[in-house]
Amino acid sequence: MAADVLSTQKCPHCHSKTLVLDKKCTECGFPIEGSQSQQDTFLSKIKKARKRVQEVQSFVKWAISLLYFIGMLYIFIFLRLQVPWGAKWAGVMLGMPYITLGIIASRYKPSIIFMVALAFYLFTEIVLLQYLHLPVSLFNQLWAKITVASILIVGSIAAYYSDKLKQKTKIS
Ligand SMILES: [Zn+2]
């Protein structure tokens, strides 16, 4: 009978009222009508994926903190310096985009936002600062530039990977 293969149940794992297809919840894949060991295997797989997402998320948090840090650095250093108001303004204008991107990345598509931030960073460091003469230059050293770029790239990859993992395992 068709009803044996296809039935609606409340899934004990994802709690949605779901269609059971091939003994599995069609929402999350939990083997509702599977054996105990099949259910245990599924749950331990999810648990592992969750742990992995958590680990990967720490790289995302690093990249977000970096954006806030660069933004604050520009704003506070320039506001504290004894420089003309024009230079203070330039520092604030350079810092604000990083803070804004950090806020967006903490809520929305960090993998893309980090790449936008990296592009902005490279643009300011390589192009803009050639024309904008600031009294101090932050990130003048090559190692500092490489560090910033690396953290953003790793953060972007981590965010992408954790999104994929969440989608695949339907965890939030
Ligand atoms: Zn389910």
Side-chain angles (χ1 to χ4, degrees):
M1 290 273 287
D4 294 336
V5 219
L6 217 62
S7 67
T8 332
Q9 280 188 36
K10 191 170 169 11
C11 171
H13 183 248
C14 68
H15 305 293
S16 57
K17 206 165 180 326
T18 175
L19 204 64
V20 178
L21 193 68
D22 195 20
K23 298 184 177 180
K24 288 176 187 160
C25 164
T26 48
E27 287 297 318
C28 69
F30 181 72
I32 296 183
E33 292 166 358
S35 68
Q36 186 64 46
S37 83
Q38 277 172 326
Q39 293 185 349
D40 289 347
T41 309
F42 176 87
L43 291 177
S44 80
K45 216 174 83 189
I46 293 285
K47 209 172 141 192
K48 260 188 215 144
R50 237 184 223 132
K51 207 173 149 229
R52 193 92 191 90
V53 165
Q54 246 172 32
E55 286 164 6
V56 167
Q57 280 294 330
S58 65
F59 291 104
V60 177
K61 283 182 194 141
W62 264 98
I64 291 175
S65 311
L66 176 74
L67 292 180
Y68 290 145
F69 175 72
I70 298 176
M72 298 289 187
L73 207 61
Y74 269 120
I75 293 171
F76 285 115
I77 286 185
F78 280 82
L79 285 182
R80 289 199 63 123
L81 277 177
Q82 298 292 328
V83 290
W85 274 101
K88 285 186 196 291
W89 184 236
V92 172
M93 290 306 279
L94 280 175
M96 285 311 281
Y98 290 106
I99 293 175
T100 310
L101 288 170
I103 293 169
I104 300 173
S106 65
R107 289 168 172 73
Y108 179 75
K109 291 259 179 231
S111 55
I112 295 165
I113 303 302
F114 292 150
M115 286 296 110
V116 174
L118 178 62
F120 179 72
Y121 176 74
L122 294 178
F123 173 73
T124 34
E125 290 298 311
I126 295 165
V127 183
L128 205 62
L129 291 185
Q130 306 265 331
Y131 302 99
L132 210 65
H133 293 290
L134 299 177
V136 284
S137 33
L138 315 171
F139 310 106
N140 221 357
Q141 310 287 327
L142 184 64
W143 65 262
K145 288 185 174 59
I146 292 173
T147 306
V148 169
S150 313
I151 293 176
L152 289 175
I153 291 169
V154 169
S156 177
I157 295 169
Y160 178 79
Y161 177 65
S162 103
D163 273 355
K164 282 277 163 246
L165 208 61
K166 279 190 211 165
Q167 265 173 23
K168 216 175 94 190
T169 51
K170 308 260 165 117
I171 56 178
S172 49

